[in-house]
Amino acid sequence: MPLFGQTELVRIIIDSLNFLQERLTLYGYVIMENHLYVIAAAANLSKEIGNFKSFTARSIIDLLQKNNAEYILN
């Protein structure tokens, strides 16, 4: 589903990536319509990426619920 075509959702991802830069080295990223790629390094990369995914998913779900996007949420 092309969720990242919505500016509000991309803003959540970019804000999360900016925050993530405090915890790891972010070499680059690409945000496509339905997925993203991140090139990064950290002492515990899997933990940091897991936290990033958890936080961004929760933020996106909260925004979709606020906007009554039932079709997408289902």
Side-chain angles (χ1 to χ4, degrees), residues 18-31:
N18 286 335
F19 177 77
L20 192 63
Q21 282 185 296
E22 297 174 11
R23 294 174 156 58
L24 53 74
T25 302
L26 183 61
Y27 295 105
Y29 61 89
V30 176
I31 302 172

Side-chain angles (χ1 to χ4, degrees), residues 18-55:
N18 286 335
F19 177 77
L20 192 63
Q21 282 185 296
E22 297 174 11
R23 294 174 156 58
L24 53 74
T25 302
L26 183 61
Y27 295 105
Y29 61 89
V30 176
I31 302 172
M32 312 282 279
E33 284 187 339
N34 61 353
H35 64 283
L36 64 105
Y37 295 101
V38 175
I39 302 171
N44 194 345
L45 185 60
S46 62
K47 177 181 179 254
E48 297 301 340
I49 293 298
N51 290 341
F52 165 78
K53 289 168 62 175
S54 177
F55 177 80

Side-chain angles (χ1 to χ4, degrees), residues 1-14 17 29-38 52-53 56-57 59-61 63-64 72:
M1 191 172 271
L3 292 177
F4 303 147
Q6 299 179 32
T7 306
E8 296 170 306
L9 302 182
V10 173
R11 175 55 38 204
I12 289 171
I13 293 170
I14 291 173
L17 287 170
Y29 61 89
V30 176
I31 302 172
M32 312 282 279
E33 284 187 339
N34 61 353
H35 64 283
L36 64 105
Y37 295 101
V38 175
F52 165 78
K53 289 168 62 175
T56 54
S59 297
I60 288 170
I61 290 168
L63 180 64
L64 292 172
I72 295 171

